[in-house]
């Protein structure tokens, strides 16, 4: 009887181990408390059932630490802004949190759903926006931010994407105007006047009495004023439903490009319309001298001879060689090369090496607008020798309140109009300034 009891107990333990192969804690309890196999099986089944949770529908609920910077970083990643630029604007923690969660794949819809969730949207959030629910979800996200109930500002998020894209577009256009223009900030749209003062006669020798003679100042004035250029854009309901964040970025990028092109168009139209500015009477026009060592030497001689209103030679040195694309390579050679090769000097057909007296003296600046056929005064052969604009400037650009890039901001948002509206504008003005700032050389006539 004892042997049979021992054998039965051993078999019970073997069976319990087999039943509880993935539940060692239940096996230990069953062995210690003398459970039979039925009780052991029930305990294992209860444990298995408890480990299963009913599947819940997918709901886009933001993490507790989600904030405006993280969502902004995710949006900028999605439209291709470099990580270094995002980190500089929003910080490394925001960039890393956005990258961990979305890895550059967030869309407009998820941004809107996150904004609605952060505002405490009471109903279950959908996985996607549709024609039937987009108005309700988007309007709630906007109103929650406007009422201070949400830390996620949807218009600000979209505006951040738009602003960055606008500046990227603005930054790719020709910027040669910055190198030859004087810049000034203005506070309003009224005409402003800049002055250049000059004295008559200059210094006079002091006689034995030590008396200094009185001189007088003459002023030359130049006027300018800012004007506004702009355009509106919008994220349409179709863009939102299509989850097209790329479309939202590409439109302002084009607007930024348009703004940069408009500034160039206004600037170079004003600069090239210079028939009454560079004249023989002003002493700042030289005709029929092709760009080269001799032509540049002649332009330098003309620049050195410039006189102020009292008839005194200015004596200043030029700093910039402004050329069209047709002369860009030659201008670069004249700036960098220490030697030039003269071919066929006199009656000789030999090549004669010669030193370049202009090496490193005049910074070459090139603009494609100088030979744009749509611009009055364009030329593929004319070039300009100009003073440093901080000293004397041939042309001036004014910017309202010192803002030197276009501005994007959200307009009054009306979702009944089926979209989100933004406006882009740029306040600047351009005017020719001081004829004593440079010399124009017409080049060789065709």
């Amino acid at each position: 009887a004892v042997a049979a009891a021992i054998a039965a107990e051993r078999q019970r333990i073997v069976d319990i181990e087999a039943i509880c192969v993935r539940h060692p804690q239940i096996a230990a309890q069953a062995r210690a408390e003398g459970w039979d196999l039925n009780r052991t099986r029930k305990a294992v089944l209860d444990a298995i059932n408890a480990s299963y949770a009913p599947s819940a529908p997918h709901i886009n609920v933001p993490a507790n630490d989600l904030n405006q910077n993280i969502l902004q970083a995710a949006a900028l990643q999605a439209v291709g802004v470099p990580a270094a630029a995002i980190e500089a604007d929003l910080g490394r923690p925001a960039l890393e949190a956005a990258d961990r969660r979305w890895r550059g794949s967030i869309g407009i819809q998820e941004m809107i759903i996150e904004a609605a969730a952060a505002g405490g949207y009471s109903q279950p959030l959908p996985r996607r926006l549709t024609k039937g629910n987009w108005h309700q979800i988007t309007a709630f996200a906007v109103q929650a931010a406007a009422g201070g109930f949400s830390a996620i500002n949807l218009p600000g998020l979209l505006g951040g994407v738009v602003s960055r894209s606008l500046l990227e577009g603005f930054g790719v256009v020709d910027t040669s105007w910055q190198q030859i223009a004087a810049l000034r900030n203005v506070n309003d749209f009224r005409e402003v006047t800049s002055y250049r003062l000059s004295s008559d006669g200059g210094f006079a020798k002091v006689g034995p009495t030590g008396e200094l003679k009185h001189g007088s100042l003459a002023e030359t004035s130049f006027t300018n004023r800012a004007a506004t250029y702009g355009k509106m854009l919008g994220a349409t309901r179709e863009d939102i439903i299509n989850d097209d964040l790329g479309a939202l970025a590409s439109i302002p990028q084009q607007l930024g490009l348009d703004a940069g092109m408009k500034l160039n168009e206004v600037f170079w139209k004003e600069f090239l319309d210079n028939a009454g500015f560079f004249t023989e009477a002003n002493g700042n026009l030289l005709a029929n001298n092709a760009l080269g060592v001799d032509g540049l030497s002649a332009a330098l001689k003309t620049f050195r001879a410039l006189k102020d209103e009292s008839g005194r030679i200015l004596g200043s040195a030029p700093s910039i060689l402004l050329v069209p694309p047709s002369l860009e390579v030659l201008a670069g050679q004249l700036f960098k090369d220490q030697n030039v090769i003269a071919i066929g000097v006199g009656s000789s057909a030999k090549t004669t090496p010669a030193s370049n007296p202009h090496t490193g003296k005049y910074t070459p600046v090139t603009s494609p607008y100088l030979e744009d056929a749509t611009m009055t005064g364009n030329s593929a052969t004319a070039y300009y020798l100009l003073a440093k604009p901080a000293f004397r400037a041939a042309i001036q650009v004014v910017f309202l309140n010192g803002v030197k890039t276009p501005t994007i901001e959200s307009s009054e948002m009306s979702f009944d109009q089926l979209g989100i509206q933004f406006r882009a504008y740029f306040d600047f003005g351009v005017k020719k300034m001081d004829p004593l700032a440079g010399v124009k050389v017409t080049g060789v006539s065709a």
Side-chain angles (χ1 to χ4, degrees):
V2 172
I6 293 174
E9 178 61 15
R10 287 177 176 172
Q11 186 61 45
R12 184 183 75 87
I13 291 174
V14 170
D15 292 341
I16 287 174
E17 295 293 340
I19 294 171
C20 301
V21 65
R22 295 187 179 181
H23 302 273
Q25 292 179 343
I26 296 177
Q29 186 177 2
R31 289 195 303 269
E33 297 180 4
W35 290 3
D36 62 17
L37 299 185
N38 288 334
R39 183 176 179 182
T40 303
R41 290 190 185 95
K42 183 178 185 303
V44 171
L45 288 174
D46 289 344
I48 292 174
N49 290 333
S51 68
Y52 287 105
S55 59
H58 177 74
I59 299 176
N60 286 307
V61 178
N64 292 333
D65 61 347
L66 184 64
N67 58 41
Q68 183 85 359
N69 282 357
I70 294 174
L71 208 51
Q72 185 78 77
L76 293 177
Q77 271 192 316
V79 298
V81 175
I86 300 174
E87 181 178 345
D89 288 348
L90 302 171
R92 176 174 288 274
L95 175 62
E96 291 178 345
D99 189 60
R100 281 195 304 269
R101 182 165 180 182
W102 289 286
R103 298 192 179 278
S105 62
I106 195 171
I108 299 178
Q109 291 200 16
E110 191 164 4
M111 288 174 58
I112 293 173
I113 291 172
E114 292 285 0
Y121 189 73
S122 59
Q123 302 179 32
L125 285 166
R127 295 183 62 183
R128 291 187 57 81
L129 298 182
T130 65
K131 294 180 180 180
N133 66 19
W134 82 275
H135 182 282
Q136 181 183 14
I137 302 294
T138 310
F140 181 89
V142 173
Q143 292 164 6
F149 303 112
S150 174
I152 306 299
N153 186 313
L154 179 60
L157 284 173
L158 297 178
V161 174
V162 169
S163 297
R164 170 63 68 172
S165 301
L166 179 100
L167 293 179
E168 286 187 348
F170 182 73
V172 302
V173 299
D174 178 54
T175 58
S176 57
W177 60 269
Q178 297 180 8
Q179 297 174 263
I180 70 169
L183 307 182
R184 176 176 173 177
N185 301 335
V186 295
N187 298 321
D188 51 42
F189 294 101
R190 290 177 293 184
E191 187 172 79
V192 293
T193 303
S194 301
Y195 298 94
R196 172 169 51 78
L197 298 178
S198 59
S199 61
D200 61 338
F203 275 31
K205 183 178 180 180
V206 179
T209 63
E211 180 183 0
L212 294 175
K213 295 183 179 181
H214 284 280
S216 63
L217 289 174
E219 62 182 28
T220 304
S221 61
F222 314 99
T223 60
N224 201 350
R225 67 188 303 168
T228 300
Y229 305 83
K231 186 183 291 187
M232 289 192 69
L233 66 108
T236 66
R237 181 181 70 153
E238 183 176 344
D239 291 332
I240 294 172
I241 293 175
N242 289 343
D243 210 12
D244 196 351
L245 192 57
L248 186 66
S250 63
I251 296 173
Q253 192 171 58
Q254 181 61 48
L255 280 182
L257 183 65
D258 289 345
M261 293 172 67
K262 173 54 69 174
L263 174 56
N264 271 286
E265 175 188 323
V266 174
F267 181 92
W268 292 109
K269 182 179 180 180
E270 172 67 16
F271 182 85
L272 288 171
D273 188 13
N274 55 37
F277 187 82
F278 294 102
T279 65
E280 292 183 1
N282 288 336
N284 59 1
L285 178 66
L286 184 63
N288 297 327
N289 274 269
L291 181 62
V293 172
D294 293 339
L296 197 51
S297 298
L300 175 61
K301 180 180 178 180
T302 302
F303 189 99
R304 294 287 196 185
L306 290 174
K307 297 180 179 181
D308 66 11
E309 286 77 3
S310 64
R312 295 178 301 164
I313 290 179
L314 296 177
S316 58
S319 176
I320 296 169
L321 175 60
L322 177 64
V323 299
S326 294
L327 301 177
E328 181 176 6
V329 174
L330 179 55
Q333 291 173 332
L334 289 169
F335 181 71
K336 293 180 180 179
D337 295 349
Q338 296 182 354
N339 295 289
V340 295
I341 302 298
I343 300 177
V345 176
S347 60
S348 173
K350 298 179 180 179
T351 61
T352 305
S355 64
N356 176 14
H358 304 295
T359 303
K361 290 186 176 180
Y362 318 116
T363 303
V365 176
T366 305
S367 174
Y369 292 91
L370 291 177
E371 56 181 284
D372 181 356
T374 65
M375 293 277 181
T376 300
N378 75 87
S379 171
T381 60
Y383 55 98
Y384 302 81
L385 199 58
L386 304 174
K388 186 177 296 185
F391 174 63
R392 291 184 189 275
I395 192 166
Q396 181 192 65
V397 183
V398 297
F399 295 98
L400 184 66
N401 298 323
V403 180
K404 298 179 176 62
T405 55
T407 299
I408 282 278
E409 60 186 27
S410 61
S411 64
E412 190 67 28
M413 301 182 67
S414 173
F415 288 92
D416 292 335
Q417 296 178 359
L418 305 183
I420 305 173
Q421 294 295 321
F422 295 92
R423 52 178 173 256
Y425 56 90
F426 197 12
D427 304 306
F428 66 89
V430 182
K431 201 68 178 290
K432 285 188 292 294
M433 197 171 180
D434 192 347
L436 299 180
V439 170
K440 177 182 179 180
V441 185
T442 61
V444 177
S445 300

